[in-house]
Amino acid sequence: KAVASDPPLARALHRSYILRVSSDTDSFEFQVSEHLRLSGVYWGACALHLLGELQSLDAAQVVSFVRSCQRGCGGFGGNLGHDAHMLYTLSAVQVLALFGALHTVDAGRVMRYVASLQRPDGSFAGDEWGEVDTRFSYCALCCASLLGKLGDIDVAAAVRYVRACENFDGGYGCEPGGESH
């Protein structure tokens, strides 16, 4: 019995779409995603990398944009002039890693920012305003690992905190006792 094969991936169309939404600065989508531009760059670059088309982006321009999002505290904002946040700091580190440009950032400075957000219970805040979420623990651990600086944070405390967020259903909440996500 013959089995229908999956249709081929329309690589050229995907590449074209990613490049279009990345450059169409007049579009509604571009405007409303302004606050998370750095993460959008990461998502688009990853998609192009998976398609074997990362070279479609101007690496120097991307790295320059990422570097321009770094704030004085060492963390990165979601776009130019935005406050630093753990989510965008990870996106910045990931983009720099993807483009082989981790050497262009002061890893110690980034990690001082990340470490400054770790709480005594091992959790991490997302930014200076103090929201705690296990997503931020993930971001902090990823930043430290990618930068080769796991010794700059208390990994054992972070692991204890994440384990404390595990629920009866095997899922994890954003904080101990929080609903599984």
Side-chain angles (χ1 to χ4, degrees), residues 63 66-76 89 92-93 96-97 101-115 143-144 146-149 152:
V63 169
V66 170
R67 298 280 317 278
S68 69
C69 292
Q70 190 170 28
R71 313 305 325 143
C73 62
F76 291 78
T89 299
V93 170
L96 293 173
L102 283 175
H103 66 279
T104 67
V105 70
D106 180 346
R109 183 172 167 224
V110 174
M111 286 309 301
R112 281 189 292 281
Y113 170 73
V114 170
C143 283
L146 288 168
L147 293 170
K149 298 279 190 179
D152 289 6

Side-chain angles (χ1 to χ4, degrees), residues 10-52:
R11 291 176 181 274
L13 290 174
H14 286 288
R15 176 188 173 275
S16 176
Y17 172 78
I18 294 164
L19 294 175
R20 183 178 51 79
V21 299
S22 299
S23 62
D24 185 2
T25 59
D26 292 329
S27 73
F28 173 77
E29 292 82 2
F30 193 90
Q31 296 301 317
V32 298
S33 64
E34 185 264 345
H35 66 286
L36 52 76
R37 184 79 60 236
L38 191 50
S39 290
V41 168
Y42 170 68
W43 301 324
C46 280
L48 288 170
H49 175 72
L50 290 171
L51 292 169

Side-chain angles (χ1 to χ4, degrees), residues 4-180:
S5 64
D6 290 335
L9 181 63
R11 291 176 181 274
L13 290 174
H14 286 288
R15 176 188 173 275
S16 176
Y17 172 78
I18 294 164
L19 294 175
R20 183 178 51 79
V21 299
S22 299
S23 62
D24 185 2
T25 59
D26 292 329
S27 73
F28 173 77
E29 292 82 2
F30 193 90
Q31 296 301 317
V32 298
S33 64
E34 185 264 345
H35 66 286
L36 52 76
R37 184 79 60 236
L38 191 50
S39 290
V41 168
Y42 170 68
W43 301 324
C46 280
L48 288 170
H49 175 72
L50 290 171
L51 292 169
E53 293 286 345
L54 186 60
Q55 74 282 357
S56 298
L57 295 175
D58 180 336
Q61 182 181 14
V62 171
V63 169
S64 176
F65 170 73
V66 170
R67 298 280 317 278
S68 69
C69 292
Q70 190 170 28
R71 313 305 325 143
C73 62
F76 291 78
N79 205 336
L80 304 172
H82 287 237
D83 292 340
H85 195 283
M86 186 72 78
L87 293 171
Y88 305 118
T89 299
L90 175 58
S91 289
V93 170
Q94 290 170 318
V95 169
L96 293 173
L98 192 60
F99 282 93
L102 283 175
H103 66 279
T104 67
V105 70
D106 180 346
R109 183 172 167 224
V110 174
M111 286 309 301
R112 281 189 292 281
Y113 170 73
V114 170
S116 76
L117 297 174
Q118 189 168 26
R119 304 301 170 106
D121 65 357
S123 66
F124 285 86
D127 58 21
E128 65 182 297
W129 306 110
E131 176 190 10
V132 171
D133 189 316
T134 48
R135 292 176 301 155
F136 309 144
S137 298
Y138 170 81
C139 292
L141 290 163
C142 283
C143 283
S145 180
L146 288 168
L147 293 170
K149 298 279 190 179
L150 283 166
D152 289 6
I153 57 176
D154 189 341
V155 173
V159 169
R160 280 192 304 276
Y161 179 78
V162 171
R163 284 186 173 155
C165 296
E166 185 177 12
N167 291 319
F168 70 93
D169 61 0
Y172 290 82
C174 296
E175 58 188 6
E179 174 187 6
S180 293

